[in-house]
Structures are given as structure tokens and as C-alpha cells.
RNA sequence: GGGGUCGUAGCUCAAUUGGUUAGAGUACCGGACUGUCGAUCCGGGGGUUGCGGGUUCAAGCCCCGUCGACCUCGCCA
């Protein structure tokens, strides 16, 4: 037997028992030939084991050769350490194991970095030696949290008649949306499978097939550039329901969120979760996924700006732009001119803003290099509109509407973080509903689907489908947590005629639609119930619950920004033989 | 594809802004120590300054290129 207990288990109640433990040498404290302490570690915790010549003279030469990360098996008696020697930092700190037998199961090379203590090395090294990194308690905690979350999710859905159904990984490429990861077919020369960007079409077909409550913890693949919260392969909690309207789905997911928060964090959250319209959050926060842990809403001062003598503002208004600002409460003295004129100006520049105007509220008046362009009355109007008080910093962006939204919402997030305007452990969820159905794509001179082409138009807006498509709201919704898109879904089109209408709008002609999605359209012609669902980003949920802002820390084997796996060396070249089998010829990009 | 940060001992960082033999902490190796728990004390080894080129009497530092990691814009139905 390799062990009778694990390393986080033994307590004072075990004193006197002879136990066997297995684990990694976390640290050793060598007091000479007669006394050696080892902290033995496994995923459950740490236990101090003691080698003392009084009771184990023949093994201490072996014990003294133990080094960090060696894997050992020890047998010994559990003893109380004594009142003065208890270590309150360890769950097992009241006891220690006096070793009677030691077996070294596996030696370790000196690890490239320390599992405990020491500074974290750069991520490149951590990823290359992921098996060492994953031994760190922080990562173990996240991986365990991830398991707990998936179990809570299964528990919730299983109790409500949902069926967990797997869908294929090798599917058909539907070239719309993200770039596909392709898999060449050996038996169909020149043909390719695509890895799923999401199980979207399959789950709709499952609804047509009568499995009216479905979920799946599904792996998804998107060949797009990465971010701190985006991996090329990620996991979705994929859900679909039939015979439902939007609110049935939102309520079901509300219940899931509450269940998860209860089981993971032991907190009750009030339901329903708040629901805001897209138009509302875009106006108030400039973002479709605003972080609501703090205020700092965007305020429009266009009317005042248009009447002022400040030509920059007036010209922007004259050319269809907007002047909007935020009030950074009490921050007038926290940002120097250099920070405002260089750092923050460059920051908003990344989002297309040509400038950043700022004013400080002092003595009930505005202090600014541009204050002279505003009459006393206009200054008072600005202060009132912005709810300004002495010591406040007012920041303005004057630009095209989209730019003011993008720049100010990014600025809002950055400043709130810098000024610690919220509790990082806070967890604020809300829905954003009524997204537009389509977006105008000026380059392609057509409308693109905002969500996806199977999303149902809001019945109240169908009359605009031909006259003013940009105005049509979709029956779609996102769940936003702390400024992250944590879930996204919609009611789907279950009528092939409506589906065709949407394809027309997206300039997907009937032949093309038939070629790409013919199987779905055909399925919709055989009795499709009203249905809808949601896909939730599991990795992001774990990240948020772990209080992290890096998705790689909640994935056991993540990829780098260039989608490489530094542990295994994927992707890699393959043998010519494999390429021949797949009828693939490689054409490398030309050298410069 | 664009912008930015970084790359110096196994690891984390420093090196007085171009000037002597590139240092510190930690890890590692050896020694001492019978109650430590971030053990302590003594001693030791350890460097292609990511890689390639250039400027200079002289380059870790300046210039060009390149590789890699991270952040970000575009992208991500």
C-alpha cells in the first residue's frame, strides 16, 4: 500500500496511529545527522515528518539526501508536537509523523523554479514546466474550483430534466464569424472538417429532434488572436431549451448563477438579475459589457459644447459627433498634467480619440486651459450636468459617437481600477438585452449579424426589417459579470421563412444559404419548436470566481498568445508521410 | 496586420545612463547544528547579458534586424 492517509488529513485525533504517507518533498530542514524535518506535500496539504536517530538511526543518511520535489513514501507514528511546537499555519500543524520507514519513489531534478516561496518566474518558463507550475497551491485551487463549478452546473441542470448530450468535434466549416480550425480528411482528398466554434447548429437540431432541454460542457475552437481573457480553445457551458420565450431562458440561467454562487461562495444573490437594454448601457457606459461595480457614468454635454466658444467641441458637434465626459470624483489632484496630457491622452488615442479635454472643479468653478471658452453660465451648466463638486476631475472626449463610447468606457475601467473604486472580490452580474439584430459593415457594404444569423428578430420590430434594418432589435442577451461577457445567447428562428428573410438581409443568397446551412434550414422545415439558449464561458467564470484576470491560470494546459503549447511544442511540423496520406502540400510564406 | 512592455546566474532583480574583474537575494553544492517550520551559521560553484549584425578606443546600455513571452487595437457570427 502506498498510503493510508493524505498530507492534509492528520489531526490530533490520529495520534498514536502508524500511518503511511506519499508525497513530494516541499522543503527540508536539516539539523545534522540526528534530526531532519521534511514538509511532505500533496494536493490536500502538507504534513511535517521527522527523522530522529532516537527511533530511526538507519534511515537518516537517506533522509539527509532528500531534496525538493523528490517523491517519497514514509511510514511512521503520528505524534502530538507539544504545546510550544504547534504550527498554526498548517492544518496539520498539531501533529507530525515520526518516521520508521522511508522509501524514495522518484528523484527530482532541481526544479526550474520554486513550487512554494520565491518569486514567480515569467510565464514562458511556467508554461514550459507546467507540471511544476501546477503543483503550486494557487493553481491547484483554481483547477479544483473549476471542477466544483462544472459539478455545480451539472447538478443544477440534471435536477431540471436537462440532458447532457455530446455533439461532434469534427464538423462542417460554416465560413462566417471566427476563423475555423481545419482538419484535413484522409478519405476525402481535398476536403476538411472544421472544429466547432460552438455547438450552435447541432443544439438547434437537437431541439428539432425533441430533446427539449439540453446542456453540454463543450470545447470550442476559434482561430483568432488571443487576449488575457481569450484562448483559441475554450470551454462553453452550452444550453438550449425548446418551447420557451426569452424570459424563460433568462430565469433559468438566473437560477444557475444563484446555484453556483451558493455552492461555490455560499452567498445568496437576489433574483432576478438586473436586465438593462443595449441602448441603455451603451448610452450610460459606452459599452455593451459595462462593469457595474462602480458608477462614473458617461454624460453628454453636447448642447453646452455646441453653444460654447470652443471650436474643437463645436466642430465635432457640427460634423455629427458627440461630446461626452466622465466625472472622476475627488481625483483633481491625483492626475498630473503630464499624466493627463500624455498617458491618458495616448490611452484614449488607442481607441481613435484625437484628444482628451479635462477640467477640475475648484471653488465651484472650472479650472482648465479651455475654461476660457466657456461662459460662467456654461461652466455652471457643465458642473451641474456632471454633478461636479470641488476636487472632481472632469474628462471629456469629443469625437464620432462610437469613438466617444469606446474611449470613455475604456478610460472608465482604467481609472476605476487605478483609483480602487471597487472591491475586487465583488461579483456583479447583469443581463444586457435587446441587442441590435445587425450591424452595418461599411467595407462590405452590407449588414452583418450582431450575434449570429439564427437569432430571432424582436417581433415588434419586424416591420423595420426592410425599411430600417439597423433599428431591428434581436431577441438576444448577454450576461455580464464585472465587465466581462460571461454568457451570450438568443431566441432562435424556428421558421424557415423568417430565417430566409434574415439571410436576405445579410446578403446571403438562397443558393449560398442552402450550401452553407442547408441542413439546418431543412431541419427547420420538419417541425421546429420555438427554442433558444445560451453559451456561457466556463473559463471566464472560473477566472472571475478565482478573482483572477488571466484565463491561462484557470486552464491546466493553456496556450500562449501565439497559440503555442510550450509544454509539448504544439503546433509542430509533421512527417511527409502524414502529409501524403492527407493529400496536403505545404506552401510556406516567402522569406523577405 | 498595427502599437506598447520585457528578455542579464536555475529563478527574481540590480549594474551610478557608453568606461576597471557584471552584483544581490533566493535556489543549488559542501560543512556545522537534536525542535525546526521562509530554520540558522560558515564556505563554494555558477554568466555566449535571447540570437545575428552594426556604430565606437570601449556596448548589458546606442542603432538595425530577428526570436520569444506578456498587454493592447483590429479581429473574435
Amino acid at each position: 500500500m502506498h498510503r493510508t492517509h493524505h498530507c492534509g488529513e492528520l489531526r490530533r485525533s490520529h495520534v498514536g496511529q502508524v500511518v503511511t504517507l506519499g508525497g513530494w518533498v516541499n522543503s527540508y530542514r536539516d539539523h545534522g545527522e540526528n534530526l531532519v524535518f521534511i514538509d511532505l506535500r500533496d494536493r490536500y496539504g502538507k504534513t511535517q515528518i521527522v527523522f530522529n536517530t532516537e527511533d530511526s538511526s538507519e534511515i537518516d543518511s537517506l533522509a539527509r539526501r532528500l531534496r525538493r520535489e523528490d517523491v517519497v513514501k514514509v511510514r511512521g507514528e503520528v505524534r502530538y508536537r507539544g504545546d510550544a511546537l504547534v504550527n498554526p499555519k498548517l492544518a496539520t500543524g498539531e501533529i507530525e509523523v515520526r518516521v520508521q520507514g522511508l522509501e524514495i519513489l522518484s528523484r527530482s531534478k532541481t526544479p526550474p523554479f520554486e513550487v512554494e516561496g520565491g518569486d514567480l518566474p515569467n510565464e514562458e518558463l511556467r508554461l514550459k514546466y507546467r507540471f511544476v507550475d501546477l503543483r503550486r497551491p494557487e493553481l491547484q485551487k483554481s483547477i479544483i474550483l473549476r471542477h466544483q463549478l462544472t459539478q455545480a452546473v451539472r447538478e443544477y441542470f440534471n435536477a431540471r430534466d436537462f440532458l447532457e448530450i455530446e455533439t461532434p468535434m469534427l464538423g462542417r466549416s460554416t465560413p462566417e464569424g471566427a476563423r475555423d480550425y481545419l482538419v484535413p480528411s484522409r478519405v476525402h482528398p481535398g476536403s476538411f472538417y472544421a472544429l466547432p466554434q460552438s455547438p450552435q447548429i447541432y443544439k438547434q437540431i437537437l431541439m428539432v429532434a425533441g430533446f427539449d432541454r439540453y446542456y453540454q460542457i463543450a470545447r470550442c475552437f476559434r482561430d483568432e488572436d488571443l487576449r488575457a481573457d481569450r484562448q483559441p480553445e475554450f470551454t462553453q457551458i452550452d444550453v438550449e431549451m425548446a418551447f420557451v420565450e426569452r424570459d424563460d431562458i433568462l430565469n433559468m440561467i438566473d437560477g444557475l448563477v444563484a446555484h453556483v454562487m451558493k455552492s461555490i461562495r455560499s452567498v445568496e444573490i437576489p433574483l432576478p438579475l438586473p436586465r438593462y437594454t443595449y441602448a441603455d448601457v451603451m448610452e450610460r457606459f459606452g459599452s455593451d459589457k459595462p462593469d457595474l461595480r462602480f458608477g462614473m457614468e458617461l454624460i453628454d454635454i453636447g448642447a453646452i459644447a455646441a453653444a460654447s466658444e470652443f471650436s474643437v467641441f463645436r466642430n465635432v458637434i457640427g460634423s455629427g459627433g458627440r461630446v461626452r465626459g466622465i466625472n472622476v470624483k475627488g481625483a483633481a489632484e491625483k492626475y498630473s498634467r503630464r499624466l493627463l496630457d500624455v498617458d491618458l491622452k495616448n490611452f484614449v488615442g488607442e481607441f481613435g480619440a484625437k484628444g482628451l479635454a479635462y477640467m477640475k472643479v475648484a471653488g465651484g468653478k472650472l479650472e482648465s486651459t479651455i475654461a476660457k471658452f466657456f461662459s460662467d453660465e456654461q461652466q455652471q451648466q457643465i458642473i451641474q450636468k456632471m454633478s461636479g463638486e470641488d476636487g472632481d476631475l472632469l474628462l471629456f472626449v469629443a469625437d464620432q459617437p462610437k469613438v466617444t463610447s469606446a474611449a470613455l468606457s475604456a478610460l472608465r475601467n482604467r481609472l476605476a481600477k487605478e483609483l480602487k473604486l471597487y472591491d475586487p472580490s465583488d461579483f456583479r452580474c447583469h443581463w444586457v438585452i435587446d441587442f441590435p439584430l445587425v450591424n452595418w459593415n461599411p467595407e462590405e457594404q452590407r449588414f452583418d449579424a450582431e450575434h449570429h444569423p439564427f437569432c430571432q428578430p424582436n417581433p415588434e420590430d419586424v416591420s423595420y426589417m426592410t425599411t430600417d434594418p439597423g433599428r431591428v432589435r434581436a431577441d438576444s442577451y448577454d450576461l455580464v459579470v464585472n465587465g466581462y461577457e460571461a454568457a451570450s445567447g438568443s431566441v432562435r428562428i424556428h421558421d424557415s421563412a423568417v430565417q430566409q428573410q434574415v439571410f436576405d438581409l445579410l446578403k446571403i443568397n438562397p443558393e449560398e444559404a442552402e450550401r452553407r446551412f442547408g441542413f439546418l434550414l431543412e431541419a427547420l422545415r420538419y417541425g421546429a419548436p420555438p427554442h433558444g439558449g445560451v453559451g456561457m464561458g466556463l473559463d471566464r467564470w472560473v477566472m472571475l470566481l478565482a478573482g483572477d484576470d488571466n484565463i491561462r491560470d484557470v486552464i491546466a494546459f493553456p496556450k500562449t498568445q501565439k497559440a503555442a503549447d510550450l509544454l509539448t511544442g504544439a503546433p509542430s511540423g509533421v512527417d511527409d508521410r502524414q502529409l501524403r496520406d492527407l493529400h496536403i502540400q505545404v506552401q510556406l510564406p516567402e522569406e523577405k
Side-chain angles (χ1 to χ4, degrees):
Chain A
M1 194 196 296
H2 276 303
R3 62 180 176 191
T4 57
H5 298 76
H6 57 66
C7 295
E9 190 172 357
L10 297 173
R11 297 289 184 274
R12 208 167 169 177
S13 58
H14 296 88
V15 166
Q17 291 185 28
V18 173
V19 300
T20 305
L21 298 178
W24 286 260
V25 174
N26 192 65
S27 59
Y28 56 92
R29 295 175 291 280
D30 181 349
H31 285 253
E33 285 175 30
N34 300 312
L35 183 65
V36 177
F37 297 99
I38 301 280
D39 286 341
L40 198 64
R41 184 194 74 238
D42 63 17
R43 81 167 159 100
Y44 307 93
K46 287 182 291 191
T47 300
Q48 172 165 287
I49 60 179
V50 190
F51 299 85
N52 193 315
T53 30
E54 281 173 14
D55 40 34
S56 61
S57 59
E58 79 283 10
I59 56 175
D60 48 40
S61 58
L62 202 53
R64 293 192 69 217
R65 286 178 46 226
L66 288 176
R67 291 297 178 266
R68 286 159 184 264
E69 304 310 313
D70 287 342
V71 178
V72 300
K73 169 181 169 180
V74 295
R75 194 176 51 83
E77 187 189 334
V78 181
R79 296 209 195 162
Y80 179 60
R81 289 192 188 187
D83 293 343
L85 295 172
V86 165
N87 183 352
K89 292 185 207 160
L90 280 187
T92 61
E94 284 195 310
I95 57 87
E96 61 190 10
V97 174
R98 298 280 286 245
V99 178
Q100 297 160 4
L102 167 72
E103 190 181 334
I104 298 172
L105 300 174
S106 177
R107 286 279 190 190
S108 172
K109 290 169 69 175
T110 300
F113 53 91
E114 292 161 63
V115 170
E116 228 185 44
D119 295 310
L120 262 190
N122 69 51
E123 217 172 330
E124 196 174 348
L125 197 79
R126 290 175 51 202
L127 291 172
K128 184 173 175 190
Y129 294 94
R130 191 62 166 172
F131 45 85
V132 176
D133 201 23
L134 283 168
R135 288 177 190 167
R136 293 171 42 235
E138 293 89 342
L139 282 195
Q140 297 231 330
K141 234 168 122 179
S142 295
I143 298 298
I144 292 165
L145 176 67
R146 189 180 176 114
H147 165 79
Q148 290 167 338
L149 178 59
T150 56
Q151 291 315 301
V153 167
R154 289 201 163 98
E155 204 172 79
Y156 179 82
F157 286 126
N158 292 346
R160 286 164 181 77
D161 283 334
F162 282 77
L163 299 173
E164 183 170 7
I165 305 175
E166 290 164 280
T167 54
M169 300 291 271
L170 297 175
R172 184 194 169 97
S173 174
T174 53
E176 176 115 356
R179 213 172 281 116
D180 282 324
Y181 276 100
L182 295 177
V183 179
S185 165
R186 176 179 58 83
V187 294
H188 298 278
S191 287
F192 295 81
Y193 302 97
L195 302 180
Q197 294 178 22
S198 85
Q200 182 62 36
I201 294 178
Y202 289 114
K203 71 175 171 179
Q204 288 192 240
I205 291 175
L206 285 172
M207 294 304 110
V208 177
F211 295 104
D212 63 354
R213 288 187 164 200
Y214 143 94
Y215 80 97
Q216 181 183 191
I217 313 274
R219 193 64 62 84
C220 306
F221 304 85
R222 293 178 191 176
D223 188 3
E224 296 292 347
D225 288 345
L226 310 186
R227 288 286 188 283
D229 65 342
R230 258 162 40 189
Q231 280 275 300
E233 58 177 311
F234 60 100
T235 305
Q236 226 173 51
I237 303 162
D238 196 45
V239 183
E240 196 79 0
M241 302 166 72
F243 302 105
V244 289
E245 294 173 338
R246 184 192 69 192
D247 284 359
D248 298 316
I249 300 163
L250 300 192
N251 292 339
M252 181 64 73
I253 301 303
D254 276 0
L256 173 67
V257 172
H259 177 74
V260 163
M261 293 306 283
K262 175 97 180 150
S263 30
I264 306 276
R265 287 208 174 173
S266 305
V267 294
E268 305 275 355
I269 58 169
L271 297 182
L273 297 173
R275 298 169 190 182
Y276 304 100
T277 67
Y278 174 87
D280 187 23
V281 294
M282 286 305 289
E283 184 57 30
R284 291 169 59 195
F285 304 100
S287 166
D288 61 1
K289 44 177 197 280
D291 191 338
L292 296 190
R293 287 175 296 180
F294 55 95
M296 219 197 292
E297 297 191 16
L298 278 52
I299 310 287
D300 190 306
I301 61 155
I304 306 167
S308 76
E309 298 296 318
F310 190 37
S311 59
V312 174
F313 280 8
R314 289 175 52 175
N315 293 342
V316 165
I317 298 290
S319 61
R322 302 185 69 179
V323 180
R324 292 203 281 175
I326 52 177
N327 181 351
V328 193
K329 295 300 286 181
E333 303 309 320
K334 290 184 180 158
Y335 288 87
S336 66
R337 270 188 83 145
R338 201 194 65 82
L339 278 172
L340 291 162
D341 284 333
V342 182
D343 286 28
L344 293 185
K345 179 177 181 291
N346 289 345
F347 179 75
V348 295
E350 287 173 36
F351 303 89
K354 287 177 280 298
L356 179 69
Y358 54 89
M359 304 175 177
K360 295 174 179 180
V361 184
K365 302 176 83 171
L366 291 178
E367 240 174 44
S368 169
T369 51
I370 57 168
K372 60 186 177 223
F373 299 114
F374 298 84
S375 68
D376 286 349
E377 194 191 339
Q378 286 165 344
Q379 293 195 18
Q380 289 312 310
Q381 287 171 347
I382 290 175
I383 290 173
Q384 196 202 350
K385 192 111 205 223
M386 304 290 296
S387 309
E389 297 172 299
D390 283 1
D392 289 354
L393 173 67
L394 311 180
L395 299 174
F396 300 96
V397 172
D399 221 300
Q400 289 309 299
K402 273 190 174 173
V403 172
T404 61
S405 291
L408 287 169
S409 72
L411 197 58
R412 180 178 170 269
N413 285 333
R414 172 180 164 165
L415 295 176
K417 189 170 184 182
E418 277 176 8
L419 296 168
K420 298 188 166 59
L421 297 187
Y422 55 85
D423 173 1
S425 69
D426 199 4
F427 205 85
R428 290 288 285 274
C429 311
H430 63 272
W431 290 99
V432 175
I433 58 174
D434 290 346
F435 277 77
L437 183 71
V438 291
N439 273 325
W440 180 247
N441 181 337
E443 281 144 41
E444 305 279 336
Q445 284 292 302
R446 58 162 175 156
F447 287 99
D448 282 339
E450 164 82 22
H451 187 52
H452 58 55
F454 318 113
C455 181
Q456 171 148 295
N458 189 316
E460 291 171 25
D461 294 349
V462 283
S463 57
Y464 302 122
M465 286 278 283
T466 46
T467 57
D468 188 4
R471 191 169 162 179
V472 178
R473 289 168 298 169
D475 230 339
S476 68
Y477 35 82
D478 279 3
L479 182 61
V480 179
V481 181
N482 296 357
Y484 288 90
E485 180 193 311
S488 182
S490 65
V491 174
R492 327 296 182 189
I493 298 168
H494 63 279
D495 179 314
S496 57
V498 177
Q499 184 67 71
Q500 192 55 60
Q501 248 189 312
V502 172
F503 283 153
D504 289 346
L505 182 56
L506 299 174
K507 292 245 173 74
I508 301 174
N509 66 46
E511 294 75 37
E512 200 183 347
E514 207 58 44
R515 185 168 52 79
R516 287 189 190 175
F517 311 113
F519 56 102
L520 175 65
L521 295 176
E522 185 68 355
L524 294 179
R525 294 184 189 111
Y526 282 82
H531 63 286
V534 70
M536 312 179 64
L538 174 74
D539 315 88
R540 282 186 192 162
W541 274 91
V542 182
M543 176 179 92
L544 289 161
L545 287 165
D548 229 314
D549 55 9
N550 174 353
I551 204 166
R552 293 180 297 277
D553 283 349
V554 299
I555 297 173
F557 301 104
K559 297 199 166 44
T560 67
Q561 193 168 43
K562 283 197 171 166
D565 179 343
L566 298 182
L567 175 71
T568 64
S572 67
V574 295
D575 295 341
D576 287 344
R577 174 66 197 269
Q578 288 176 284
L579 290 176
R580 272 203 305 278
D581 281 352
L582 295 168
H583 326 288
I584 297 273
Q585 205 172 20
V586 174
Q587 173 105 49
L588 292 173
E590 302 209 359
E591 302 271 335
K592 271 197 281 190

